Amino acid sequence: MSEILRIAIQKKGRLSEKSLAIISQCGIKFGSDERVLKERATNFPLEFLYMRDDDIPAYIRDGVADIGIVGRNEMDEQGLPLVVLRDLGFSKCRLSIAVPHDFPYSGLKSLEGARIATSYPNILKGILEENTVSASFVEVSGSVELTPAVGIADAICDLVSTGATLAMNGLREVETIYTSTAVMIGRPEMGSTAKEAILERLLLRIDAVMKATSYKYIMFNLPVEHVQQVSALIGGLKSPTVTPLLSEGWVSVQSVVGEDRFWDVFEQLKELGAQGILVTPIEKMTE
Ligand code: ATP
Ligand code: MG
């Protein structure tokens, strides 16, 4: 049988949908029956294993899966000898310290001797040690926000994305100790050149998809005298494509612009007299 790469994906939760979306944007086709726990892509040598995110790092270490997608927090908490192959950027969250409103917090030192409830004792321990704070941990696997209210912890250390859950439970976020995004992880050595080759093909596609989503394609008309300024402003892959328009003194410009700079560029183009600005998403892109 020809070699296949096994990827572990969270079965159900905050990572599932976006993990599958990125694979699907790579043009890889697979079924969508939620009850299936193992399936093969139909047009790429990839097999999906669906499981709880906590189990993914150990499955990869043991060779049951070759690669997987987890929150960086999960990988760092478990501390297994795995490597980050790509930072996928989604499922952004932070690990924060939160305290009840009457807790006098003025920095990590305020946690000296406190009981802190968390599902991430290893990450927390590392940060507290760096700051020479000694505290005791109450390890819980869920509903961390409840623990101060029921008297088993003085503070918590939990994942936050908007902070709404903390506020609803009468807690105040006082310090971010760690930030996380979804990462694709694997073993330092794949153990098979055929698997390595498949992984390389997959990563090439993932890079193209990620690159594309971080850029926009932009087209607009511009008075010809501003071409040099615009070229310096937006750059493009090499330089912008400039074509003359029938109306004298005007050109049409096409280029790509990074999402992070987009509004800046847009405002400056308006100031330089750009008209008819069209912006479209890019599906795939390489440099
Ligand atoms: P599983 O049943 O697979 O063990 P889980 O309950 O451990 O699921 P989820 O709540 O689905 O996990 O979160 C998965 C990952 O999503 C987290 O490890 C984290 O990286 C990320 N994440 C993003 N935002 C948040 C948030 N607000 N709270 C918790 N996790 C978040
Ligand atoms: Mg989990």
Side-chain angles (χ1 to χ4, degrees):
M1 202 185 88
S2 61
E3 196 67 273
I4 194 163
L5 189 73
R6 292 210 171 94
I7 183 167
I9 302 270
Q10 187 189 26
K11 177 173 159 45
K12 197 164 188 282
R14 295 179 204 259
L15 298 164
S16 320
E17 203 177 305
K18 290 199 169 133
S19 303
L20 291 176
I22 199 161
I23 306 285
S24 150
Q25 282 171 298
C26 290
I28 296 172
K29 302 221 177 314
F30 48 93
S32 52
D33 190 324
E34 281 184 7
R35 291 162 301 182
V36 171
L37 296 180
K38 176 162 126 23
E39 64 173 322
R40 264 204 75 156
T42 55
N43 60 350
F44 196 83
L46 189 66
E47 185 167 67
F48 297 83
L49 305 179
Y50 299 105
M51 60 186 75
R52 287 199 58 188
D53 65 350
D54 314 51
D55 297 333
I56 293 178
Y59 269 63
I60 299 174
R61 178 203 52 196
D62 297 343
V64 178
D66 300 303
I67 58 171
I69 299 178
V70 290
R72 193 184 280 270
N73 52 292
E74 196 62 51
M75 154 151 171
D76 284 348
E77 178 60 25
Q78 297 198 18
L80 298 180
L82 301 174
V83 293
V84 170
L85 300 167
R86 288 296 180 275
D87 188 332
L88 303 174
F90 62 82
S91 289
K92 222 185 184 116
C93 58
R94 53 191 189 270
L95 195 55
S96 284
I97 304 285
V99 294
H101 290 290
D102 56 3
F103 186 106
Y105 189 88
S106 58
L108 287 172
K109 288 270 182 242
S110 315
L111 296 172
E112 185 67 37
R115 297 166 301 162
I116 313 173
T118 189
S119 313
Y120 296 93
N122 293 327
I123 297 179
L124 177 60
K125 190 162 168 272
I127 303 285
L128 291 184
E129 277 175 7
E130 268 171 36
N131 288 276
T132 59
V133 173
S134 63
S136 58
F137 302 138
V138 180
E139 214 175 311
V140 285
S141 58
S143 300
V144 186
E145 300 88 350
L146 178 68
T147 54
V150 296
I152 59 168
D154 308 306
I156 70 163
C157 172
D158 200 14
L159 288 176
V160 184
S161 52
T162 63
T165 315
L166 290 179
M168 274 193 294
N169 288 285
L171 296 169
R172 180 166 66 96
E173 185 178 356
V174 288
E175 187 122 13
T176 298
I177 61 161
Y178 177 93
T179 55
S180 176
T181 47
V183 286
M184 179 174 278
I185 58 173
R187 288 181 297 278
E189 298 295 333
M190 244 335 140
S192 134
T193 47
K195 278 185 196 284
E196 263 161 28
I198 303 171
L199 177 61
E200 208 167 296
R201 283 175 65 203
L202 178 66
L203 292 178
L204 188 79
R205 294 188 187 195
I206 286 185
D207 289 342
V209 167
M210 287 205 300
K211 188 128 217 161
T213 47
S214 62
Y215 282 88
K216 296 278 180 239
Y217 193 76
I218 184 166
M219 278 169 283
F220 51 90
N221 297 329
L222 185 77
V224 70
E225 64 268 26
H226 290 150
V227 163
Q228 288 311 325
Q229 277 163 286
V230 164
S231 173
L233 175 67
I234 56 181
L237 284 178
K238 274 210 167 46
S239 59
T241 307
V242 179
T243 38
L245 288 184
L246 278 180
S247 328
E248 186 134 356
W250 284 83
V251 288
S252 163
V253 181
Q254 299 171 34
S255 194
V256 294
V257 176
E259 182 91 290
D260 50 337
R261 296 183 57 222
F262 179 75
W263 287 108
D264 248 7
V265 168
F266 185 85
E267 284 161 13
Q268 293 187 53
L269 287 178
K270 293 290 281 182
E271 277 169 26
L272 289 169
Q275 291 183 1
I277 304 177
L278 285 181
V279 181
T280 60
I282 302 171
E283 202 179 303
K284 311 280 187 299
M285 176 173 157
T286 57
E287 278 191 80

